[in-house]
């Protein structure tokens, strides 16, 4: 079924068409949300919220402008993620750390305990640093570093200038460099001249 | 190139975001500047650490998510059905408005027989001016209030009043839009944008604190008040 037809049918309340749009886009939205909030439960909430919002706004999506559904939905996903963090800031910081530690332990049950501990520690530090970034700065960093979007694409999604994205990205990377310094040195990542 | 600028560019260099010319400038600066060279090496290490600690994305419970989406969407079925949520009196008001508009055109033809009949004469913005003015006069206070909205200023009672006003304005908007869209696309577009804003207001929920800010953004982004002002001056 064509995407346009699916959108038109979904607008009229056709559940199968909406399910099709959900299946085609669920993984991308979930991965963005997961990388942003750092835990699966909240990422599922964001995914649901994104689709409910998109469904309720389908009549605002302009098919005739040649617009594509996925970027439109992705933009809603970005906004829902930022909103979610704003709403659940305190709760999230605590639970995401626990969640991540559990994830690491389960993913690495067969590996060297020392290595697992080292990775857990590193991930915890990375999460702490990411949590310290402002919502927008964090989103820019996630979109560039984990979602592989260019600064130009990010600027379009966030409706701001490319220069502003570059500045925020630089600050986010600087924060990473500063907060991870001790740990990087401790783990023997010695400096190299280029 | 100055070191401060170079450090900013190093991040973009590693993300492959620089043009060939910028890339050459950064590389040439790094060769001459030990500090920036160290910065590049350290940033590379940080990127490596971030990549090594990259988590696998777990599989979500898709069926549970889909179920929740179903629960969240069944109460708000599409555009047409949302329109049916309007109270019965609203349809009566719409009928009165329609008769009123028809009366204006009929009256013009009756009292000024020299003019072409409404069937011969295309409806113009001019003939609608008094109606539009009246509509804009009722619409403007609602839009201005949301255009100047600051968070946490709206009580439950105010929201209820706004919703009622928006519903009544929506009906008038619908009728006007049907008439003007055929001969004045820009006015039709403005009324369509107003329609979006009014629908948001009419569907406001007291616990939804973000929507009023979104409505404010919508009014500003689409320059609704400015466009209304221009139309009023013409």
């Amino acid at each position: 079924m064509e995407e346009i037809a699916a959108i038109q049918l979904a607008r009229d309340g056709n559940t199968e068409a909406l399910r099709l749009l959900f299946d085609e886009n669920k993984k991308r939205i979930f991965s963005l949300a997961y990388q942003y909030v750092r835990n699966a439960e909240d990422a599922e909430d964001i995914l649901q919220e994104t689709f409910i919002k998109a469904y309720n706004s389908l009549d605002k999506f302009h098919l005739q402008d040649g617009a594509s559904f996925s970027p439109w939905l992705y933009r809603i996903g970005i906004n829902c993620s930022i909103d979610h963090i704003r709403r659940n800031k305190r709760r999230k910081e605590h639970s995401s750390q626990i969640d991540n530690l559990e994830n690491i332990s389960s993913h690495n049950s067969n590996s060297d305990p020392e290595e697992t501990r080292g990775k857990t520690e590193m991930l915890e530090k990375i999460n702490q640093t990411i949590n310290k970034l402002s919502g927008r700065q964090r989103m820019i960093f996630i979109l560039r570093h984990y979602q592989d979007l260019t600064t130009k694409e990010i600027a379009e999604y966030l409706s701001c200038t490319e220069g502003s994205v570059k500045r925020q990205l630089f600050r986010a990377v600087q924060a990473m460099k500063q907060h991870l310094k001790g740990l990087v040195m401790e783990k023997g990542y010695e400096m190299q001249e280029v | 190139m100055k070191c401060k600028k170079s450090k900013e560019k190093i991040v973009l260099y590693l993300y492959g975001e620089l043009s060939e010319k910028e890339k050459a400038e950064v590389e040439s600066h790094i060769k001459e500047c030990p500090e920036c060279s160290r910065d590049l090496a350290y940033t590379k290490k940080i990127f490596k650490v971030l990549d090594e600690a990259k988590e696998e994305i777990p599989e979500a419970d898709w069926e549970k998510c889909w179920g929740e989406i179903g629960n969240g969407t069944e109460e708000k079925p599409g555009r047409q059905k949302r329109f049916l949520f309007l109270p019965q009196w609203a349809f009566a008001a719409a009928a009165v408005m329609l008769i009123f508009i028809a009366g204006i055109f009929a009256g013009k033809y009756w009292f000024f027989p020299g003019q072409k009949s409404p069937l011969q004469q295309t409806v113009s913005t001019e003939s609608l001016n008094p109606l539009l003015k009246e509509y804009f006069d009722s619409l403007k206070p609602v839009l201005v209030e949301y255009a100047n909205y600051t968070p946490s200023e709206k009580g439950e009672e105010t929201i209820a009043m706004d919703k009622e006003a928006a519903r009544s304005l929506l009906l008038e908007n619908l009728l006007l839009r049907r008439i003007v869209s055929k001969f004045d696309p820009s006015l039709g577009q403005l009324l369509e944008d107003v329609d979006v804003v009014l629908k948001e207001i009419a569907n406001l929920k007291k616990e939804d604190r973000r929507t009023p800010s979104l409505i404010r953004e919508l009014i500003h982004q689409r320059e609704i008040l400015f466009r209304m002002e221009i139309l009023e001056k013409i």
Side-chain angles (χ1 to χ4, degrees), chain A residues 29-69:
Chain A
I29 302 291
F30 180 76
S31 81
L32 164 76
Y34 182 80
Q35 283 163 344
Y36 188 73
V37 295
R38 325 291 284 180
N39 83 77
E41 202 185 319
D42 282 357
E44 283 183 358
D45 286 348
I46 293 169
L47 175 71
Q48 291 156 21
E49 207 182 313
T50 301
F51 270 88
I52 292 169
K53 259 196 181 148
Y55 178 75
N56 289 335
S57 317
L58 268 179
D59 47 1
K60 291 177 206 159
F61 178 71
H62 299 294
L63 284 168
Q64 68 274 22
D65 297 343
S68 184
F69 180 74

mmCIF file of all heavy atoms in Angstrom, chain A residues 29-69:
data_model
loop_
_atom_site.group_PDB
_atom_site.id
_atom_site.type_symbol
_atom_site.label_atom_id
_atom_site.label_comp_id
_atom_site.label_asym_id
_atom_site.label_seq_id
_atom_site.Cartn_x
_atom_site.Cartn_y
_atom_site.Cartn_z
ATOM 1 N N ILE A 29 11.701 5.558 15.583
ATOM 2 C CA ILE A 29 11.251 6.446 16.668
ATOM 3 C C ILE A 29 11.690 5.878 18.014
ATOM 4 O O ILE A 29 12.175 6.599 18.882
ATOM 5 C CB ILE A 29 9.699 6.617 16.655
ATOM 6 C CG1 ILE A 29 9.212 7.171 15.309
ATOM 7 C CG2 ILE A 29 9.224 7.487 17.818
ATOM 8 C CD1 ILE A 29 9.577 8.591 15.010
ATOM 9 N N PHE A 30 11.561 4.559 18.166
ATOM 10 C CA PHE A 30 11.933 3.945 19.446
ATOM 11 C C PHE A 30 13.433 4.096 19.706
ATOM 12 O O PHE A 30 13.837 4.403 20.825
ATOM 13 C CB PHE A 30 11.528 2.460 19.466
ATOM 14 C CG PHE A 30 11.871 1.769 20.748
ATOM 15 C CD1 PHE A 30 11.113 1.986 21.888
ATOM 16 C CD2 PHE A 30 12.964 0.922 20.839
ATOM 17 C CE1 PHE A 30 11.438 1.376 23.092
ATOM 18 C CE2 PHE A 30 13.302 0.301 22.039
ATOM 19 C CZ PHE A 30 12.525 0.520 23.161
ATOM 20 N N SER A 31 14.245 3.887 18.676
ATOM 21 C CA SER A 31 15.698 3.994 18.898
ATOM 22 C C SER A 31 16.084 5.425 19.271
ATOM 23 O O SER A 31 16.895 5.652 20.164
ATOM 24 C CB SER A 31 16.482 3.503 17.682
ATOM 25 O OG SER A 31 16.543 4.492 16.690
ATOM 26 N N LEU A 32 15.461 6.398 18.620
ATOM 27 C CA LEU A 32 15.735 7.802 18.967
ATOM 28 C C LEU A 32 15.354 8.056 20.430
ATOM 29 O O LEU A 32 16.147 8.601 21.202
ATOM 30 C CB LEU A 32 14.927 8.731 18.049
ATOM 31 C CG LEU A 32 14.802 10.185 18.521
ATOM 32 C CD1 LEU A 32 16.098 10.938 18.288
ATOM 33 C CD2 LEU A 32 13.662 10.904 17.818
ATOM 34 N N ALA A 33 14.134 7.620 20.784
ATOM 35 C CA ALA A 33 13.641 7.857 22.145
ATOM 36 C C ALA A 33 14.524 7.135 23.169
ATOM 37 O O ALA A 33 14.858 7.697 24.212
ATOM 38 C CB ALA A 33 12.197 7.390 22.256
ATOM 39 N N TYR A 34 14.925 5.911 22.845
ATOM 40 C CA TYR A 34 15.741 5.137 23.786
ATOM 41 C C TYR A 34 17.101 5.807 24.012
ATOM 42 O O TYR A 34 17.576 5.922 25.134
ATOM 43 C CB TYR A 34 15.927 3.705 23.268
ATOM 44 C CG TYR A 34 16.725 2.850 24.228
ATOM 45 C CD1 TYR A 34 16.121 2.290 25.350
ATOM 46 C CD2 TYR A 34 18.088 2.637 24.023
ATOM 47 C CE1 TYR A 34 16.848 1.534 26.248
ATOM 48 C CE2 TYR A 34 18.821 1.882 24.927
ATOM 49 C CZ TYR A 34 18.206 1.328 26.031
ATOM 50 O OH TYR A 34 18.932 0.596 26.933
ATOM 51 N N GLN A 35 17.719 6.236 22.917
ATOM 52 C CA GLN A 35 19.030 6.893 23.060
ATOM 53 C C GLN A 35 18.899 8.209 23.816
ATOM 54 O O GLN A 35 19.811 8.629 24.511
ATOM 55 C CB GLN A 35 19.647 7.125 21.685
ATOM 56 C CG GLN A 35 20.223 5.844 21.110
ATOM 57 C CD GLN A 35 20.458 5.920 19.627
ATOM 58 O OE1 GLN A 35 19.943 6.791 18.932
ATOM 59 N NE2 GLN A 35 21.227 4.991 19.105
ATOM 60 N N TYR A 36 17.753 8.819 23.707
ATOM 61 C CA TYR A 36 17.559 10.114 24.354
ATOM 62 C C TYR A 36 17.241 9.962 25.847
ATOM 63 O O TYR A 36 17.815 10.638 26.675
ATOM 64 C CB TYR A 36 16.431 10.871 23.643
ATOM 65 C CG TYR A 36 16.271 12.297 24.103
ATOM 66 C CD1 TYR A 36 17.185 13.273 23.745
ATOM 67 C CD2 TYR A 36 15.200 12.667 24.906
ATOM 68 C CE1 TYR A 36 17.052 14.579 24.171
ATOM 69 C CE2 TYR A 36 15.053 13.976 25.331
ATOM 70 C CZ TYR A 36 15.983 14.922 24.964
ATOM 71 O OH TYR A 36 15.837 16.222 25.401
ATOM 72 N N VAL A 37 16.301 9.049 26.174
ATOM 73 C CA VAL A 37 15.909 8.918 27.588
ATOM 74 C C VAL A 37 16.688 7.833 28.315
ATOM 75 O O VAL A 37 16.662 7.768 29.534
ATOM 76 C CB VAL A 37 14.388 8.662 27.758
ATOM 77 C CG1 VAL A 37 13.583 9.839 27.286
ATOM 78 C CG2 VAL A 37 13.944 7.396 27.033
ATOM 79 N N ARG A 38 17.373 6.986 27.589
ATOM 80 C CA ARG A 38 18.253 5.946 28.124
ATOM 81 C C ARG A 38 17.513 4.868 28.923
ATOM 82 O O ARG A 38 18.106 4.250 29.799
ATOM 83 C CB ARG A 38 19.393 6.534 28.988
ATOM 84 C CG ARG A 38 19.966 7.863 28.575
ATOM 85 C CD ARG A 38 20.739 7.812 27.313
ATOM 86 N NE ARG A 38 22.061 7.230 27.437
ATOM 87 C CZ ARG A 38 22.890 7.101 26.412
ATOM 88 N NH1 ARG A 38 22.536 7.529 25.228
ATOM 89 N NH2 ARG A 38 24.060 6.548 26.566
ATOM 90 N N ASN A 39 16.241 4.679 28.688
ATOM 91 C CA ASN A 39 15.589 3.490 29.246
ATOM 92 C C ASN A 39 14.376 3.094 28.417
ATOM 93 O O ASN A 39 13.697 3.939 27.835
ATOM 94 C CB ASN A 39 15.273 3.647 30.744
ATOM 95 C CG ASN A 39 13.994 4.378 31.014
ATOM 96 O OD1 ASN A 39 12.910 3.831 30.877
ATOM 97 N ND2 ASN A 39 14.122 5.643 31.389
ATOM 98 N N ALA A 40 14.146 1.755 28.366
ATOM 99 C CA ALA A 40 13.168 1.196 27.427
ATOM 100 C C ALA A 40 11.725 1.574 27.747
ATOM 101 O O ALA A 40 10.929 1.849 26.849
ATOM 102 C CB ALA A 40 13.309 -0.315 27.386
ATOM 103 N N GLU A 41 11.415 1.609 29.036
ATOM 104 C CA GLU A 41 10.026 1.875 29.425
ATOM 105 C C GLU A 41 9.592 3.279 28.983
ATOM 106 O O GLU A 41 8.523 3.465 28.392
ATOM 107 C CB GLU A 41 9.919 1.745 30.944
ATOM 108 C CG GLU A 41 8.507 1.477 31.420
ATOM 109 C CD GLU A 41 8.429 1.477 32.940
ATOM 110 O OE1 GLU A 41 9.344 0.920 33.573
ATOM 111 O OE2 GLU A 41 7.486 2.051 33.451
ATOM 112 N N ASP A 42 10.452 4.249 29.273
ATOM 113 C CA ASP A 42 10.130 5.628 28.869
ATOM 114 C C ASP A 42 10.125 5.757 27.346
ATOM 115 O O ASP A 42 9.329 6.507 26.791
ATOM 116 C CB ASP A 42 11.152 6.610 29.464
ATOM 117 C CG ASP A 42 10.875 6.875 30.934
ATOM 118 O OD1 ASP A 42 9.866 6.346 31.433
ATOM 119 O OD2 ASP A 42 11.649 7.599 31.573
ATOM 120 N N ALA A 43 11.030 5.021 26.692
ATOM 121 C CA ALA A 43 11.083 5.092 25.217
ATOM 122 C C ALA A 43 9.782 4.552 24.617
ATOM 123 O O ALA A 43 9.281 5.077 23.622
ATOM 124 C CB ALA A 43 12.277 4.311 24.700
ATOM 125 N N GLU A 44 9.221 3.508 25.250
ATOM 126 C CA GLU A 44 7.931 2.978 24.778
ATOM 127 C C GLU A 44 6.831 4.023 24.951
ATOM 128 O O GLU A 44 5.987 4.196 24.078
ATOM 129 C CB GLU A 44 7.570 1.695 25.541
ATOM 130 C CG GLU A 44 8.342 0.479 25.059
ATOM 131 C CD GLU A 44 7.935 -0.810 25.766
ATOM 132 O OE1 GLU A 44 7.077 -0.759 26.672
ATOM 133 O OE2 GLU A 44 8.496 -1.867 25.412
ATOM 134 N N ASP A 45 6.868 4.714 26.093
ATOM 135 C CA ASP A 45 5.871 5.782 26.332
ATOM 136 C C ASP A 45 5.971 6.854 25.253
ATOM 137 O O ASP A 45 4.961 7.338 24.745
ATOM 138 C CB ASP A 45 6.106 6.443 27.700
ATOM 139 C CG ASP A 45 5.665 5.547 28.846
ATOM 140 O OD1 ASP A 45 4.981 4.549 28.573
ATOM 141 O OD2 ASP A 45 6.037 5.841 30.002
ATOM 142 N N ILE A 46 7.205 7.224 24.905
ATOM 143 C CA ILE A 46 7.407 8.271 23.891
ATOM 144 C C ILE A 46 6.901 7.796 22.536
ATOM 145 O O ILE A 46 6.254 8.548 21.802
ATOM 146 C CB ILE A 46 8.899 8.682 23.826
ATOM 147 C CG1 ILE A 46 9.297 9.386 25.117
ATOM 148 C CG2 ILE A 46 9.178 9.580 22.613
ATOM 149 C CD1 ILE A 46 10.775 9.597 25.292
ATOM 150 N N LEU A 47 7.185 6.537 22.221
ATOM 151 C CA LEU A 47 6.719 5.978 20.947
ATOM 152 C C LEU A 47 5.189 6.063 20.853
ATOM 153 O O LEU A 47 4.631 6.497 19.844
ATOM 154 C CB LEU A 47 7.183 4.521 20.835
ATOM 155 C CG LEU A 47 6.680 3.735 19.629
ATOM 156 C CD1 LEU A 47 7.342 4.216 18.349
ATOM 157 C CD2 LEU A 47 6.953 2.237 19.799
ATOM 158 N N GLN A 48 4.532 5.672 21.943
ATOM 159 C CA GLN A 48 3.054 5.723 21.950
ATOM 160 C C GLN A 48 2.563 7.154 21.807
ATOM 161 O O GLN A 48 1.665 7.453 21.009
ATOM 162 C CB GLN A 48 2.525 5.141 23.265
ATOM 163 C CG GLN A 48 2.738 3.654 23.415
ATOM 164 C CD GLN A 48 2.761 3.226 24.869
ATOM 165 O OE1 GLN A 48 2.261 3.914 25.748
ATOM 166 N NE2 GLN A 48 3.356 2.076 25.137
ATOM 167 N N GLU A 49 3.164 8.021 22.591
ATOM 168 C CA GLU A 49 2.753 9.432 22.570
ATOM 169 C C GLU A 49 2.933 10.035 21.175
ATOM 170 O O GLU A 49 2.095 10.791 20.688
ATOM 171 C CB GLU A 49 3.620 10.194 23.573
ATOM 172 C CG GLU A 49 2.967 11.422 24.139
ATOM 173 C CD GLU A 49 3.909 12.147 25.085
ATOM 174 O OE1 GLU A 49 4.523 11.480 25.954
ATOM 175 O OE2 GLU A 49 4.057 13.347 24.920
ATOM 176 N N THR A 50 4.039 9.649 20.534
ATOM 177 C CA THR A 50 4.333 10.165 19.194
ATOM 178 C C THR A 50 3.228 9.764 18.218
ATOM 179 O O THR A 50 2.725 10.591 17.456
ATOM 180 C CB THR A 50 5.690 9.611 18.695
ATOM 181 O OG1 THR A 50 6.691 10.000 19.622
ATOM 182 C CG2 THR A 50 6.043 10.128 17.316
ATOM 183 N N PHE A 51 2.840 8.505 18.269
ATOM 184 C CA PHE A 51 1.810 8.030 17.329
ATOM 185 C C PHE A 51 0.437 8.611 17.628
ATOM 186 O O PHE A 51 -0.324 8.924 16.704
ATOM 187 C CB PHE A 51 1.777 6.498 17.278
ATOM 188 C CG PHE A 51 2.706 5.985 16.240
ATOM 189 C CD1 PHE A 51 4.028 5.741 16.538
ATOM 190 C CD2 PHE A 51 2.289 5.825 14.933
ATOM 191 C CE1 PHE A 51 4.919 5.320 15.566
ATOM 192 C CE2 PHE A 51 3.167 5.399 13.947
ATOM 193 C CZ PHE A 51 4.484 5.148 14.267
ATOM 194 N N ILE A 52 0.128 8.752 18.913
ATOM 195 C CA ILE A 52 -1.185 9.328 19.266
ATOM 196 C C ILE A 52 -1.229 10.777 18.782
ATOM 197 O O ILE A 52 -2.205 11.228 18.185
ATOM 198 C CB ILE A 52 -1.441 9.212 20.791
ATOM 199 C CG1 ILE A 52 -1.622 7.739 21.161
ATOM 200 C CG2 ILE A 52 -2.665 10.021 21.200
ATOM 201 C CD1 ILE A 52 -1.619 7.429 22.641
ATOM 202 N N LYS A 53 -0.134 11.508 19.021
ATOM 203 C CA LYS A 53 -0.078 12.915 18.584
ATOM 204 C C LYS A 53 -0.157 13.006 17.066
ATOM 205 O O LYS A 53 -0.856 13.858 16.516
ATOM 206 C CB LYS A 53 1.221 13.559 19.064
ATOM 207 C CG LYS A 53 0.992 14.396 20.285
ATOM 208 C CD LYS A 53 2.119 15.332 20.548
ATOM 209 C CE LYS A 53 1.766 16.088 21.827
ATOM 210 N NZ LYS A 53 2.878 16.450 22.604
ATOM 211 N N ALA A 54 0.574 12.127 16.398
ATOM 212 C CA ALA A 54 0.582 12.154 14.933
ATOM 213 C C ALA A 54 -0.813 11.854 14.398
ATOM 214 O O ALA A 54 -1.302 12.529 13.495
ATOM 215 C CB ALA A 54 1.583 11.132 14.402
ATOM 216 N N TYR A 55 -1.461 10.869 14.987
ATOM 217 C CA TYR A 55 -2.808 10.496 14.534
ATOM 218 C C TYR A 55 -3.782 11.667 14.708
ATOM 219 O O TYR A 55 -4.563 11.983 13.813
ATOM 220 C CB TYR A 55 -3.291 9.280 15.330
ATOM 221 C CG TYR A 55 -4.694 8.856 14.964
ATOM 222 C CD1 TYR A 55 -4.946 8.193 13.772
ATOM 223 C CD2 TYR A 55 -5.771 9.136 15.808
ATOM 224 C CE1 TYR A 55 -6.238 7.817 13.429
ATOM 225 C CE2 TYR A 55 -7.058 8.760 15.471
ATOM 226 C CZ TYR A 55 -7.286 8.101 14.287
ATOM 227 O OH TYR A 55 -8.558 7.735 13.947
ATOM 228 N N ASN A 56 -3.679 12.315 15.872
ATOM 229 C CA ASN A 56 -4.582 13.440 16.134
ATOM 230 C C ASN A 56 -4.274 14.658 15.267
ATOM 231 O O ASN A 56 -5.075 15.582 15.188
ATOM 232 C CB ASN A 56 -4.532 13.826 17.620
ATOM 233 C CG ASN A 56 -5.203 12.782 18.485
ATOM 234 O OD1 ASN A 56 -6.068 12.043 18.018
ATOM 235 N ND2 ASN A 56 -4.796 12.679 19.724
ATOM 236 N N SER A 57 -3.077 14.687 14.678
ATOM 237 C CA SER A 57 -2.710 15.843 13.842
ATOM 238 C C SER A 57 -2.647 15.475 12.364
ATOM 239 O O SER A 57 -2.129 16.257 11.568
ATOM 240 C CB SER A 57 -1.335 16.385 14.257
ATOM 241 O OG SER A 57 -1.212 16.444 15.621
ATOM 242 N N LEU A 58 -3.106 14.292 12.018
ATOM 243 C CA LEU A 58 -2.985 13.860 10.613
ATOM 244 C C LEU A 58 -3.620 14.842 9.631
ATOM 245 O O LEU A 58 -3.160 14.986 8.502
ATOM 246 C CB LEU A 58 -3.617 12.477 10.427
ATOM 247 C CG LEU A 58 -2.695 11.277 10.580
ATOM 248 C CD1 LEU A 58 -3.467 9.989 10.391
ATOM 249 C CD2 LEU A 58 -1.525 11.322 9.605
ATOM 250 N N ASP A 59 -4.672 15.528 10.081
ATOM 251 C CA ASP A 59 -5.323 16.470 9.159
ATOM 252 C C ASP A 59 -4.466 17.710 8.915
ATOM 253 O O ASP A 59 -4.778 18.517 8.048
ATOM 254 C CB ASP A 59 -6.743 16.830 9.623
ATOM 255 C CG ASP A 59 -6.819 17.193 11.085
ATOM 256 O OD1 ASP A 59 -5.759 17.190 11.731
ATOM 257 O OD2 ASP A 59 -7.921 17.463 11.579
ATOM 258 N N LYS A 60 -3.400 17.872 9.715
ATOM 259 C CA LYS A 60 -2.506 19.011 9.484
ATOM 260 C C LYS A 60 -1.335 18.624 8.581
ATOM 261 O O LYS A 60 -0.526 19.455 8.207
ATOM 262 C CB LYS A 60 -1.945 19.527 10.822
ATOM 263 C CG LYS A 60 -2.978 20.186 11.683
ATOM 264 C CD LYS A 60 -2.348 20.588 12.997
ATOM 265 C CE LYS A 60 -3.425 20.637 14.067
ATOM 266 N NZ LYS A 60 -2.849 20.534 15.397
ATOM 267 N N PHE A 61 -1.239 17.339 8.282
ATOM 268 C CA PHE A 61 -0.148 16.884 7.414
ATOM 269 C C PHE A 61 -0.552 17.107 5.957
ATOM 270 O O PHE A 61 -1.585 16.611 5.507
ATOM 271 C CB PHE A 61 0.120 15.392 7.670
ATOM 272 C CG PHE A 61 1.185 14.820 6.811
ATOM 273 C CD1 PHE A 61 2.505 15.164 7.006
ATOM 274 C CD2 PHE A 61 0.881 13.963 5.773
ATOM 275 C CE1 PHE A 61 3.501 14.651 6.194
ATOM 276 C CE2 PHE A 61 1.857 13.450 4.956
ATOM 277 C CZ PHE A 61 3.169 13.796 5.173
ATOM 278 N N HIS A 62 0.258 17.920 5.247
ATOM 279 C CA HIS A 62 -0.125 18.316 3.895
ATOM 280 C C HIS A 62 0.444 17.360 2.856
ATOM 281 O O HIS A 62 1.605 17.453 2.491
ATOM 282 C CB HIS A 62 0.351 19.755 3.606
ATOM 283 C CG HIS A 62 -0.271 20.735 4.538
ATOM 284 N ND1 HIS A 62 -1.617 21.001 4.538
ATOM 285 C CD2 HIS A 62 0.259 21.506 5.513
ATOM 286 C CE1 HIS A 62 -1.893 21.881 5.472
ATOM 287 N NE2 HIS A 62 -0.774 22.207 6.085
ATOM 288 N N LEU A 63 -0.400 16.468 2.398
ATOM 289 C CA LEU A 63 0.023 15.491 1.394
ATOM 290 C C LEU A 63 0.389 16.148 0.072
ATOM 291 O O LEU A 63 1.326 15.760 -0.599
ATOM 292 C CB LEU A 63 -1.119 14.506 1.138
ATOM 293 C CG LEU A 63 -1.366 13.449 2.201
ATOM 294 C CD1 LEU A 63 -2.675 12.760 1.953
ATOM 295 C CD2 LEU A 63 -0.243 12.440 2.227
ATOM 296 N N GLN A 64 -0.375 17.191 -0.274
ATOM 297 C CA GLN A 64 -0.193 17.802 -1.597
ATOM 298 C C GLN A 64 1.138 18.531 -1.745
ATOM 299 O O GLN A 64 1.583 18.800 -2.837
ATOM 300 C CB GLN A 64 -1.371 18.732 -1.945
ATOM 301 C CG GLN A 64 -1.481 19.980 -1.121
ATOM 302 C CD GLN A 64 -2.263 19.744 0.183
ATOM 303 O OE1 GLN A 64 -2.367 18.631 0.652
ATOM 304 N NE2 GLN A 64 -2.802 20.803 0.750
ATOM 305 N N ASP A 65 1.801 18.853 -0.612
ATOM 306 C CA ASP A 65 3.080 19.561 -0.705
ATOM 307 C C ASP A 65 4.241 18.606 -0.996
ATOM 308 O O ASP A 65 5.396 19.016 -0.995
ATOM 309 C CB ASP A 65 3.381 20.305 0.607
ATOM 310 C CG ASP A 65 2.335 21.374 0.879
ATOM 311 O OD1 ASP A 65 1.622 21.724 -0.076
ATOM 312 O OD2 ASP A 65 2.231 21.839 2.014
ATOM 313 N N GLY A 66 3.930 17.358 -1.217
ATOM 314 C CA GLY A 66 4.983 16.374 -1.488
ATOM 315 C C GLY A 66 5.757 16.016 -0.230
ATOM 316 O O GLY A 66 6.840 15.453 -0.297
ATOM 317 N N ALA A 67 5.183 16.368 0.932
ATOM 318 C CA ALA A 67 5.881 16.086 2.191
ATOM 319 C C ALA A 67 5.863 14.586 2.463
ATOM 320 O O ALA A 67 4.928 13.890 2.083
ATOM 321 C CB ALA A 67 5.190 16.816 3.326
ATOM 322 N N SER A 68 6.926 14.119 3.092
ATOM 323 C CA SER A 68 7.004 12.711 3.406
ATOM 324 C C SER A 68 6.581 12.508 4.868
ATOM 325 O O SER A 68 6.864 13.339 5.729
ATOM 326 C CB SER A 68 8.425 12.233 3.167
ATOM 327 O OG SER A 68 8.479 10.857 3.389
ATOM 328 N N PHE A 69 5.935 11.391 5.129
ATOM 329 C CA PHE A 69 5.372 11.140 6.460
ATOM 330 C C PHE A 69 6.462 10.898 7.507
ATOM 331 O O PHE A 69 6.377 11.416 8.614
ATOM 332 C CB PHE A 69 4.422 9.934 6.380
ATOM 333 C CG PHE A 69 3.779 9.579 7.693
ATOM 334 C CD1 PHE A 69 2.768 10.372 8.210
ATOM 335 C CD2 PHE A 69 4.181 8.459 8.405
ATOM 336 C CE1 PHE A 69 2.169 10.052 9.429
ATOM 337 C CE2 PHE A 69 3.587 8.139 9.620
ATOM 338 C CZ PHE A 69 2.577 8.930 10.119
#
